[in-house]
Amino acid sequence: MTRQVCRVAAWALCLVGACGLSSHAVAADNQNDRVTALEQKLDRSLKLIEQLAARVRELEAERAGTSNLTQPAQPAQPAPPARPAEAAQQAAVAQSLPQTQQRLESVEQQLTQLADANAARGGGGAGVPLHGFADAGIGNHTANEPGLQGANIGALDIFLNPQLGEHTRSLFELVFEVNSQGQVAPDLERAQIGYQFSDAATVWIGRFHTPFGYYNTAFHHGQEIATSLRRPRFLLFEDQGGVMPIHTVGAWLTGAERLADGRITYDVFVGNGQAISSGSIDPRSGGVAHGGAIYGGNLGYVFGEILNGLKVGVSAFRSNISDDEQLGRITQVDNTGVYFAYDTDRFEYLGEYYRFNDRDLTDGGPARQSNAGFLQLAWRLPLATPYVRYERAVLDQGDNFFALQSNGMSYYREALGLRFDLDPKSALKLELGRTKNTDRNIEQWTDAMLDYAIRF
């Protein structure tokens, strides 16, 4: 009878403990936290009950074995009457056991209801983590508007990367920018939904950064991630005056294959052919009414061992680009490029060179050749990261693709900068630069700028 009392008491205490612990979890504000806490506490209680039951069975077996070895078999005898103290204890345990079981059933029912409610609203986890970037600056010119000066707000970049399943991927980047008139303009810069077959193959559909060269896919709209204060001018985003199709709306296959001493990366893409609208490139995110398509690829090699951190590659694309002011006029833009990126803990060296071979498909005529490139060197020192960059673009003004763009003139730029990492998620950048247009709107100016960029 003592064993029975101990067994019942152990069960009762464990069940009471589970109820007591669960009552605290039920009081939590967040349903996801409450579900997790209740599950963990219930699991611990059940494991403890199982351990106690196993130990009781073990003790009973040991005692039975000892009795069989030391005593001859005896006829069954009625159990001796319990002493008053034992009887009272048994009665108390027996009386509390139904209440304890009822409480445990209530906890289990509440746990089920919380889980069902959470599943009904689609909240199988903690929700979608929200990340973002922001920056603000001051200078005699703003980063992308040489005609403006003073303090300016850069951009608020909301970056979402929901994990939808084992293979389904997604990426969304919503940017709020302040234009030259001081108005806030939201723009869905990237909206990609993809399926990852393996590390060697992921298919994306939506709006993405066109995978040419290195810089355009390595550095997005969040200013904090880039070493320099601003992008190379010809690689600016379309609405900031860039002269290349930075975004594509279509399909993109990308992946990497590991080799013995390195890794090969590749990109293949096809999408809507861009248009020139109001002096800038329009990716035509809503679809194409006239004009052609853009397609191309990128092949890179990432070194291992001694040259770890070095990537070299080639890229190419062709796009049939229309003009909204001259309907029916199509320019076939052919671009080929080479690039390298050598990024280590001590330095960052970047270089890209592109060559254009464009044809007017409407009027015919010879191909128009242009080129653009940059070289940037940065050194990661204990207190700061100094960098220098040289950019050069020679753009044929007889090429409709450049002539119809507001910023499609030839230029060169020299820049010297300092980046201070104030903490792991913020950076202060200083940059001095000199820019000169050489064949249209010929002028020269000097920039002195400061930018404070964060990520969260």
Side-chain angles (χ1 to χ4, degrees):
M1 182 60 69
T2 302
R3 292 196 305 270
Q4 295 177 351
V5 171
C6 293
R7 185 184 306 174
V8 173
W11 278 79
L13 290 174
C14 292
L15 293 173
V16 171
C19 293
L21 291 171
S22 64
S23 62
H24 174 71
V26 171
D29 292 331
N30 186 282
Q31 287 192 345
N32 290 328
D33 293 341
R34 294 168 66 189
V35 170
T36 302
L38 285 169
E39 287 177 341
Q40 292 174 348
K41 293 170 183 176
L42 183 59
D43 185 60
R44 288 197 297 269
S45 298
L46 292 176
K47 288 181 179 179
L48 182 58
I49 288 172
E50 291 175 358
Q51 293 172 359
L52 290 172
R55 181 57 180 163
V56 169
R57 288 195 297 269
E58 182 182 347
L59 292 174
E60 288 180 342
E62 291 178 357
R63 183 168 182 178
T66 304
S67 299
N68 291 335
L69 292 174
T70 58
Q71 295 181 0
Q74 299 290 334
Q77 299 289 335
R83 289 177 292 181
E86 293 179 350
Q89 187 177 17
Q90 292 177 23
V93 170
Q95 184 178 1
S96 64
L97 184 57
Q99 299 175 355
T100 303
Q101 291 175 334
Q102 185 177 3
R103 291 179 183 176
L104 182 57
E105 291 173 357
S106 176
V107 170
E108 292 175 341
Q109 183 179 5
Q110 187 177 26
L111 180 62
T112 302
Q113 292 174 350
L114 289 171
D116 291 343
N118 195 44
R121 69 172 190 272
V128 179
L130 185 145
H131 303 285
F133 301 82
D135 69 290
I138 189 170
N140 69 325
H141 294 118
T142 62
N144 304 317
E145 295 285 348
L148 300 179
Q149 61 183 345
N152 68 91
I153 298 174
L156 173 60
D157 183 348
I158 304 301
F159 190 91
L160 301 175
N161 187 21
Q163 299 299 314
L164 304 176
E166 183 179 357
H167 297 284
T168 304
R169 302 288 182 263
S170 62
L171 188 155
F172 301 94
E173 189 173 15
L174 177 62
V175 178
F176 297 87
E177 297 174 308
V178 178
N179 59 27
S180 58
Q181 288 75 42
Q183 301 168 334
V184 177
D187 199 351
L188 187 59
E189 298 290 356
R190 288 191 286 175
Q192 305 169 213
I193 300 176
Y195 188 88
Q196 183 177 33
F197 297 93
S198 66
D199 290 341
T202 300
V203 176
W204 295 97
I205 298 176
R207 172 169 164 146
F208 47 84
H209 283 180
T210 310
F212 60 78
Y214 174 82
Y215 202 99
N216 196 44
T217 53
F219 302 104
H220 57 72
H221 299 257
Q223 179 61 25
E224 191 273 342
I225 65 173
T227 299
S228 60
L229 188 146
R230 52 185 169 177
R231 293 168 67 97
R233 176 173 153 180
F234 68 91
L235 289 178
L236 287 173
F237 301 111
E238 296 95 339
D239 56 358
Q240 296 174 349
V243 298
M244 294 182 69
I246 300 299
H247 296 89
T248 293
V249 182
W252 171 24
L253 173 64
T254 182
E257 186 67 33
R258 186 169 295 279
L259 303 177
D261 57 350
R263 190 170 78 255
I264 291 179
T265 65
Y266 74 92
D267 303 276
V268 180
F269 68 96
V270 61
N272 298 339
Q274 289 83 1
I276 297 177
S277 176
S278 301
S280 62
I281 298 176
D282 178 9
R284 297 204 284 191
S285 299
V288 179
H290 53 83
I294 181 173
Y295 55 90
N298 191 328
L299 185 64
Y301 183 79
V302 180
F303 288 82
E305 301 300 330
I306 298 176
L307 295 177
N308 186 33
L310 173 62
K311 180 177 182 179
V312 298
V314 296
S315 66
F317 67 82
R318 169 177 285 181
S319 182
N320 288 339
I321 296 180
S322 61
D323 172 26
D324 66 339
E325 296 182 0
Q326 303 179 49
L327 296 180
R329 179 175 293 279
I330 304 294
T331 302
Q332 179 181 286
V333 177
D334 284 310
N335 178 277
T336 56
V338 296
Y339 63 89
F340 81 93
Y342 200 2
D343 192 0
T344 72
D345 293 336
R346 296 184 293 111
F347 54 80
E348 177 194 62
Y349 300 157
L350 306 174
E352 299 185 2
Y353 175 80
Y354 299 96
R355 187 170 181 83
F356 295 86
N357 193 47
D358 302 345
R359 293 181 181 273
D360 186 343
L361 299 183
T362 306
D363 297 336
R368 300 283 184 172
Q369 296 182 346
S370 303
N371 62 79
F374 78 93
L375 177 66
Q376 176 177 303
L377 307 176
W379 298 268
R380 294 188 170 102
L381 304 179
L383 297 180
T385 300
Y387 64 88
V388 295
R389 185 165 73 202
Y390 179 76
E391 309 170 26
R392 184 77 171 103
V394 180
L395 310 179
D396 190 335
Q397 297 302 295
D399 183 346
N400 288 326
F401 177 61
F402 296 114
L404 295 174
Q405 294 190 57
S406 301
N407 212 31
M409 70 284 289
S410 302
Y411 79 98
Y412 70 81
R413 172 179 288 168
E414 302 152 343
L416 172 65
L418 276 175
R419 174 190 171 112
F420 298 91
D421 288 295
L422 304 181
D423 55 50
K425 293 187 177 182
S426 69
L428 185 67
K429 305 178 187 181
L430 306 173
E431 184 173 304
L432 299 175
R434 183 180 64 169
T435 306
K436 182 175 182 179
N437 297 332
T438 58
D439 58 10
R440 191 199 330 161
N441 300 334
I442 298 176
E443 60 179 331
Q444 178 176 306
W445 66 92
T446 301
D447 301 308
M449 298 172 294
L450 177 149
D451 190 76
Y452 194 2
I454 64 170
R455 61 184 171 91
F456 53 88

